[in-house]
Amino acid sequence: MNFHYYLLVNQAAGSGTGKKVAEKIIPLLEQKKLTYSIYYSEYKGHDAQIAEELAKKTLIAWTEEVQEQDNIFPLLVVIGGDGTLHQVLNTFYHLGVDFPVAYIPAGSGNDFARGIGLPRNAVKALENILSTHQPQEFNLLSYEEKVSEKQGIVVNNFGIGLDAAIVHATNHSNAKKQLNKYHLGSFSYLLSILRVFFCQKGFPILVDIGGKQIAFDKAFLCTATNHPYFGGGVAIAPTAEIAKSTIDLVVVERINLFKILWIVLLLLQKKQMKSKNFHHFTTSKLRILSTVPQYGQEDGEDMEKQPFDLQLSTKKQLFWCEVLR
């Protein structure tokens, strides 16, 4: 089967990394004499507009009939960060359509690429796409938040509390932009951790895990994920696997400073499970209730403080890549 590659490029991703990656990819497509069209995202929300236009006029679903035909298949290739991928897939979700998507990571965190084992080198990621003959199925998180009446798809994680406050501080800081210029975007999260760490207070939450309810009086961090990573490579849930139809929930309790620092050290060594104040659950369906307003974050997009009534499940999505893990 032949392909026409539709490149959706977020030039601003990674403070300009998206544009640089596109400049590397296009000559390679030319050399290989592959057909392509390119769409540049020029402002916030433009990713979603482009994705919607392509969904309605160009892209088609991957079916057995399509595989048997000798036609040119229109394949969307997203070049950007996790936020770009988030916008595209949420556009498809709200349109009620299902298309395979190829992805070349060009953000500052690139946690999704880590999670599925996709090369974070642009050239290698392109080679991976070109050598793929059929899409692979992965599980994303599907959520419904009843307080704000919002629903959608999460490619990495949905957090309430500390991680969300860190994301909020990071997204409203000049440090991230400056560090991205030197490809050190992950350090912006570390700086935000230092800023937020001592300010975040414990808050009560109730989690319903497969029908079993567990209450925490002083939760510090509450994060649901479908693969190990968040915050630019921090393995918050080392045993999470995106190939499985499960949700991993991590809850850390607000404890004294020395115990928290101990958990941080364990976290950096991927040994956080040894702490009795670090709670990890795996389930197929999850509900989180928080009556005390907290910051929220979905794939690095911060939400203003609010109470939460959050329900999560999994949703399958086709990605055009070879599994390397």
Side-chain angles (χ1 to χ4, degrees):
M1 178 176 285
N2 295 317
F3 298 88
H4 185 98
Y5 299 96
Y6 289 84
L7 310 182
L8 194 166
V9 181
N10 184 340
Q11 301 180 85
S15 288
T17 301
K19 180 180 180 180
K20 294 176 182 178
V21 167
E23 291 172 348
K24 288 183 180 180
I25 295 303
I26 293 172
L28 296 176
L29 295 175
E30 296 280 359
Q31 290 175 17
K32 297 177 182 294
K33 298 182 179 180
L34 299 172
T35 60
Y36 68 93
S37 300
I38 189 163
Y39 299 81
Y40 290 103
S41 172
E42 298 178 353
Y43 49 84
K44 187 175 182 179
H46 198 193
D47 303 321
Q49 292 179 20
I50 296 171
E52 182 173 355
E53 181 180 349
L54 290 173
K56 291 180 176 179
K57 298 180 180 179
T58 305
L59 303 177
I60 61 175
W62 181 259
T63 64
E64 290 185 4
E65 292 182 357
V66 168
Q67 296 179 56
E68 295 172 356
Q69 296 172 358
D70 191 26
N71 296 329
I72 296 176
F73 185 80
L75 180 62
L76 176 64
V77 181
V78 177
I79 301 176
D82 291 338
T84 309
L85 189 60
H86 173 95
Q87 291 294 326
V88 170
L89 294 180
N90 271 275
T91 298
F92 292 169
Y93 173 81
H94 290 293
L95 289 173
V97 296
D98 188 12
F99 306 122
V101 174
Y103 178 51
I104 298 178
S108 57
N110 297 324
D111 284 323
F112 184 75
R114 288 185 178 88
I116 67 172
L118 185 70
R120 297 193 298 280
N121 175 278
V123 175
K124 291 182 178 179
L126 176 63
E127 292 173 350
N128 183 288
I129 293 169
L130 299 181
S131 64
T132 298
H133 302 292
Q134 62 181 14
Q136 302 290 329
E137 193 174 71
F138 292 103
N139 291 288
L140 306 182
L141 298 186
S142 173
Y143 76 88
E144 179 180 4
E145 205 295 296
K146 293 188 176 181
V147 175
S148 59
E149 298 183 340
K150 186 177 181 182
Q151 55 185 323
I153 295 296
V154 177
V155 302
N156 291 325
N157 39 69
F158 197 118
I160 301 170
L162 179 65
D163 65 324
I166 290 170
V167 167
H168 184 271
T170 301
N171 289 350
H172 293 80
S173 169
N174 292 324
K176 183 176 182 180
K177 184 175 181 180
Q178 295 299 321
L179 288 168
N180 278 340
K181 293 180 180 180
Y182 303 98
H183 305 287
L184 297 172
S186 295
F187 284 98
S188 62
Y189 290 95
L190 295 177
L191 292 176
S192 294
I193 288 173
L194 295 175
R195 290 172 54 194
V196 174
F197 191 77
F198 299 100
C199 301
Q200 179 65 35
K201 297 180 180 180
F203 57 96
I205 63 166
L206 177 68
V207 297
D208 188 313
I209 303 168
K212 181 181 179 181
Q213 294 187 346
I214 304 173
F216 294 91
D217 294 330
K218 293 184 178 181
F220 186 53
L221 174 148
C222 179
T223 300
T225 184
N226 60 327
H227 65 69
Y229 304 103
F230 88 143
V234 178
I236 186 68
T239 59
E241 294 185 43
I242 198 170
K244 295 183 178 180
S245 300
T246 54
I247 306 165
D248 285 75
L249 172 68
V250 169
V251 177
V252 178
E253 297 177 84
R254 179 63 178 175
I255 47 183
N256 68 57
L257 176 60
F258 296 105
K259 288 184 178 180
I260 291 176
L261 291 175
W262 175 243
I263 290 179
V264 172
L265 290 174
L266 292 175
L267 182 64
L268 296 175
Q269 301 175 63
K270 299 182 181 181
K271 296 179 180 179
Q272 59 267 37
M273 304 291 190
K274 293 183 178 182
S275 172
K276 66 179 182 179
N277 300 111
F278 184 98
H279 305 275
H280 175 251
F281 309 93
T282 301
T283 182
S284 58
K285 289 187 177 181
L286 175 67
R287 185 181 182 187
I288 304 172
L289 294 169
S290 173
T291 56
V292 178
Q294 296 294 319
Y295 286 116
Q297 68 88 14
E298 47 172 324
D299 292 336
E301 299 294 323
D302 58 284
M303 303 170 65
E304 291 299 325
K305 281 187 175 181
Q306 65 167 73
F308 283 90
D309 183 353
L310 178 67
Q311 295 187 17
L312 297 114
S313 56
T314 59
K315 182 184 181 301
K316 298 185 183 300
Q317 170 66 41
L318 293 176
F319 285 91
W320 199 268
C321 65
E322 294 287 345
V323 179
L324 300 180
R325 292 179 294 118

